Structure formats: structure tokens, C-alpha cells
Amino acid sequence: MGVLRSTQSMEAEVEEMRAALALAPLGRHGAWRLGAAAKREAGAEEGAAPEARTVCVTGGISFVGLAVVDRLLRHGYAVRLALETQEDLDKLREMEMFGENGRDGVWTVMANVMDPESLNQAFNGCVGVFHTSSLIDPGGISGYTKHMAILEARAAEQVVEACVRTESVRKCVFTSSLLACVWRQSYPHHRRRFPAIIDESCWSDESFCRDNKLWFALGKTMAEKAAWRAARGRDLKLVTICPALVTGPGFRRRNSTPSIAYLKGAHAMLAEGLLATADVERVAEAHVRVYEAMSGGGAAGGRYICYDHVVRRGEEFAELQRQLGLPITGVAAASRPGYSDDGDVGGDGRFALCNGKLARLVSSRRRCTYDVYYPASYD
């Protein structure tokens, strides 16, 4: 399990990852410099037991996982990285990103998300788990297969079951995807005055995903539903984050395969007003904010859609395709309903994404796609 990467130069990827997190080598026993400093700056509660601030992150070497780890350290948490392969561990060593025996707030442990015993060992002593890992097959342009979707759902169930069985774990933040919300059979809208809202109450139709071979969306939908089933009626607080296409510094190299998988069916999402992006730093911050709002009598619960930009123009979509090495087919949107000569493919808008629930938690201000339009940079 985990993200399977191509055989591109490890040195180049390591340098890009280091640059993205503004890291510097610290010598033979190097660590994330920001780890110790961040804990001091965050001002963790005095007198609190250290284990009360210890969390585990699966997929901690992935694009999203690394950003979540970075953000947790800035908030003063001690982080246990659950790694699945020796390659992951070698990359961390190359980057000089962790201290000996966790002296700078980061520990590493090997854990297979399909092995309940290894998950229990990884989670033991942690009060929270961030499940950010996902399954990606480098074969095929979609980067994802029907079999992968089944395996991802099974892994999600195993992770939540392990959280339930681990006495110390009380909370779990599960990384899903906006794709688990948006794919449904289209019905005539009879020229509604306002677009239909897509929010956390919406689920993608599994049958629709199967019929249209949207395997990545199917995997995310099945996995999130499996997580909710496993947590139902158990002594575990679960929330899920549903980010849009995750972009940010280095995403072309470090997140290209899942990005390509995400964009299968992108022309339809673009025409319907459902193609959105989320900066990786904002996604990471959302994970930590939601986790902290789950504590005590916190109101955080359920699902949270996360995005900061809706792609409305053909040239924006073409730029995404170019950066990911995909054929430039954005011009095809001109033949779809709702396309206008100025390149805006939003038209009258069949749907409107809404991330008001997360926005209210973070800033008490509701934001929907029809309220505000954010410029975006993918580099």
C-alpha cells in the first residue's frame, strides 16, 4: 500500500521536497529544524503529558502527508511517521528530516496498512491518527484501477479498526477526496434559477463511477464509506477531509500520478462547475484545525469539503494538463454546453461547490463558489 512512485531521480525529488518545506541539512543526526522550534513557538500546554500531543500520520512521505506532518510540528505536536517501505525511510534519511529517538518531535515506524498488527504497534501511545496514505498504481494513464479501489477501501477499514483497537487512540482524521462527493447521474435541471449545491451531504454514486470507469473516484468513495462503517457505534471520533485536486510547490513531480488519476473525467467536471483545486498547505492546515476542534466538547464532526479555487476557464485547465504532461485538450470544452467565447466554461452553472462548513470552522465566514472567485497559481 501507499503511493508507488516511478523510478525518477531520488536526488531531484529529495531536493524538491526539502525546498518545499524550507528545510536545511543538520548534519549526521539531522532533524526537521522547525520541529523543536515549532513546539516552543506553539506553546504546548504546560504540564500536559507528552503522549497527549503525540499523533501518528500514515503516508507521511506523500505530498499531503508531509505537509500535514509539517503543520502538526508547527502546532506543537510530536509526530510518529508510519512508513511502508524502505524507500520511504531512505528518502527521509537523505533529507535529514528526523532526529535520533524522536528528539525533535518526529519518530518513524514501519507499518503496512493491510496488516492490523503493524498498525496497532504504530498507533500504540498516540492519541490521534491522520490517515493520509492512498493507493496509486503507476501503470496506465489513469494511474488507478478497479482493483486498487477495492484495496483502498479494505485499507481504510483496517486503519479505522486499528484505531478502535488501540486503547490510546481517541480521534482519527481521514483524508478522502472531493471526488467522493461530485460524481452522480445528471438529471435535467429545467433551468433552475440557482445552481444545485454540492456540499458534505453529497456522495458520489458508486454505480455511476463503475459504469464510467472512474476508478479513483470509486476508490475514494468506497474507502470513505468503509471508514464510516468501521467507526459507527465505536469509541472513536472520526472526521473526513475531502480535498479537491491538491496542488502547490512540487506537485508536478511529487503528486503527478494521483493528479492524473483525479483528472479522469475532468472535462465533465469543468463543464458542470465541479473542477476545483486546493493548495497543499491549506489542506494540511484544515487537517490540524479540524483535529483540534474535535477535542473536548468541540463541534467538529462528519465530513469537510476543502478547496480554495474553482477552475472556470479553459486556459486554466489547459495549464493543469500541460504541467502534468497530459495532452492539451481544454479546447474541447468549447463544444460543451455553457461555454462562452471569453473562455469561461461555467455558463449558467448546473452545480456550485460549497465549503462553508470548513470555512465556518476556520474563520466563521461562509464561502461558496458563487460568493468569491480566487485566482490560482499551480507552480
Side-chain angles (χ1 to χ4, degrees), residues 225-308:
K225 286 184 175 180
W228 283 114
R229 285 194 301 269
R232 187 176 298 128
R234 316 290 284 276
D235 188 21
L236 177 73
K237 291 183 178 179
L238 174 69
V239 297
T240 58
I241 307 292
C242 301
L245 175 66
V246 181
T247 60
F251 97 100
R252 288 172 290 180
R253 176 185 294 274
R254 297 185 46 227
N255 209 41
S256 62
T257 305
S259 296
I260 292 170
Y262 188 104
L263 288 174
K264 186 172 183 180
H267 280 105
M269 286 191 285
L270 184 67
E272 301 284 18
L274 297 174
L275 183 59
T277 61
D279 182 81
V280 68
E281 293 300 323
R282 185 166 297 192
V283 173
E285 181 67 17
H287 278 69
V288 180
R289 291 290 188 94
V290 168
Y291 176 83
E292 292 183 337
M294 295 166 69
S295 299
R303 311 171 80 202
Y304 290 86
I305 285 178
C306 179
Y307 68 91
D308 50 34

Side-chain angles (χ1 to χ4, degrees), residues 22 130 162 191 250 265 294 325 369-370 373:
F130 291 79
R191 307 297 296 178
M294 295 166 69
T369 59
Y370 50 79
Y373 182 66

Side-chain angles (χ1 to χ4, degrees), residues 32 69 73 79 81 97-99 101-108:
W32 283 352
V69 171
L73 290 173
V79 179
L81 286 177
M97 293 180 66
F98 57 94
N101 294 323
R103 71 177 186 185
D104 284 283
V106 182
W107 289 259
T108 59

Side-chain angles (χ1 to χ4, degrees), residues 10-172:
M10 180 181 290
E11 290 80 6
E13 187 170 349
V14 165
E15 288 304 316
E16 192 160 0
M17 292 165 77
R18 179 182 288 145
L21 291 177
L23 301 172
L26 299 184
R28 181 170 171 268
H29 296 301
W32 283 352
R33 186 188 302 274
L34 57 84
K39 283 191 290 181
R40 290 192 295 269
E41 292 169 7
E45 299 98 334
E46 292 199 21
E51 58 269 20
R53 303 285 292 181
T54 301
V55 296
C56 184
V57 179
T58 69
I61 195 68
S62 70
F63 187 54
V64 172
L66 230 98
V68 170
V69 171
D70 174 42
R71 191 63 57 173
L72 285 166
L73 290 173
R74 291 178 182 273
H75 280 255
Y77 290 91
V79 179
R80 187 177 299 173
L81 286 177
L83 306 178
E84 297 198 43
T85 67
Q86 184 62 41
E87 182 185 0
D88 291 342
L89 186 59
D90 290 343
K91 279 192 175 182
L92 284 176
R93 286 173 174 163
E94 287 284 328
M95 297 166 68
E96 298 179 308
M97 293 180 66
F98 57 94
E100 198 169 12
N101 294 323
R103 71 177 186 185
D104 284 283
V106 182
W107 289 259
T108 59
V109 60
M110 303 303 290
N112 184 335
V113 294
M114 299 300 288
D115 178 5
E117 183 60 32
S118 70
L119 288 172
N120 287 142
Q121 293 176 2
F123 297 166
N124 188 37
C126 297
V127 294
V129 171
F130 291 79
H131 180 51
T132 70
S133 69
S134 63
L135 190 68
I136 293 296
D137 184 355
I141 191 169
S142 72
Y144 209 87
T145 66
K146 181 179 181 180
H147 181 61
M148 306 299 246
I150 296 170
L151 289 178
E152 184 145 7
R154 189 179 305 164
E157 183 178 6
Q158 295 280 13
V159 168
V160 174
E161 287 287 352
C163 289
V164 171
R165 289 194 301 268
T166 305
E167 186 176 353
S168 61
V169 175
R170 292 291 176 264
K171 298 184 289 185
C172 177

